[in-house]
Amino acid sequence: MSDFSSLYIPRKCGRGLGRDRKTAFLLPMLMILLISAVLVFALVFIQSVSGTIERMLAILGRGSVFVESQDMPYSPFLPEGAEVTPSRILEGLVYSGQGEGAAVIHAVGPGYFDGMRGRELGIVIPDEDVLNPAVVSSSFADKLSVGIGDRMTLLLYETDKGRTRPLLLTVSGIFPSVYPQLDSSLVYIQLESSGYGADGYEVLLPEGIDAESIEDELWRAGYSTRSYMDMYSSIYSNAVSSINALYLVFMAVALLAAYFASDAAYVYISRDRNDIEMLMMLGAPKALMRSVYLRITMAGACTAMAIGIALGLILGFLSPLAFSIIASFDPAILSYYVTSFSVRIPWSRIAFMIILMIVIAAISVEISLFRLIRRMG
């Protein structure tokens, strides 16, 4: 029986046959290949975009954890590599020679962009002594038509004095807009030039460290804290709920792949009906024929899935380029999404989805083959 299988299975998979027979074997697997490619691409894309949105909430917002304190948080509670900076959020109107706009003023302490923020935003602040240096995003710079070295006027409302104070700013840095929903109206200025002291300290954690656990430790130490998930709860919850909803769709996609696998089994058995009937007349057990066609179908399905996974990963790695091209032509389309992101591959979720597809497909194929061959007997 093993000799029979080793000869019969490769033959039915197309070995030694013409192009038409090989095509007849491969066509039923084409949909499984496409489904696998779309599934993997979607998983990579969603993980990459959602991960970047989360990171930008910390980078562009008030850190991974914001500590409402006049004193710097006690360092033993913070992991190695964490950056702590005093800051304050204000509001104002910014004017340039070519435009104007309302702005969220992020007054920050010295060296704010010297570490992780500067690297992740791709910004280098020149070491020049300029009047009231300001840092803006490329989307804000485009809106006001300003560049490095240009001057802007900030009308800053002083709540304690009940008056508006003008402040002349010099654009000292422009970073590529990453998340327009946050950075299109954001202006960074020095804390000392704002006329206010800090209302707390931003704690920016290295990527991969759980902000909630650090927040809990600081809270137990007596600090009043808020994580980026609390400060931007609506954006964060929308991203999480969207991802969870999409995973339900992926489950349905896995069932769809199983359907095409069982449909392929039907195609193969219908194609080889005469051969199967002749072999069964010669004494081949039904269980053997079912096992043979299960192996044929699953070999094709697994090969199609492997190719689809590779194609999906390639498309996933190309997706940041596609987004940057779209953003360059019409930035408004991506105003509520990140316009650039680094690729993150969720290996565990991809593995789970592929295993789910294979298991469901195997069960579906087994049931279909059992029914088909029983009818033939």
Side-chain angles (χ1 to χ4, degrees), residues 14-37:
R15 180 181 296 176
L17 299 179
R19 182 181 299 175
D20 292 342
R21 295 298 298 273
K22 290 181 180 179
T23 302
F25 171 75
L26 295 174
L27 278 178
M29 295 300 163
L30 181 60
M31 288 304 299
I32 296 178
L33 186 154
L34 294 175
I35 289 172
S36 301

Side-chain angles (χ1 to χ4, degrees), residues 28-29 32 254-270 293-294 297-298 301 305 357 360-369 371-372:
M29 295 300 163
I32 296 178
L255 293 174
L256 185 62
Y259 166 77
F260 283 111
S262 62
D263 187 60
Y266 176 82
V267 171
Y268 296 152
I269 290 178
S270 299
Y293 277 88
L294 177 64
T297 305
M298 291 311 298
M305 287 180 191
M357 289 171 64
I360 295 175
I363 294 172
S364 179
V365 169
E366 175 70 21
I367 294 172
S368 299
L369 289 172
R371 291 175 177 173
L372 287 169

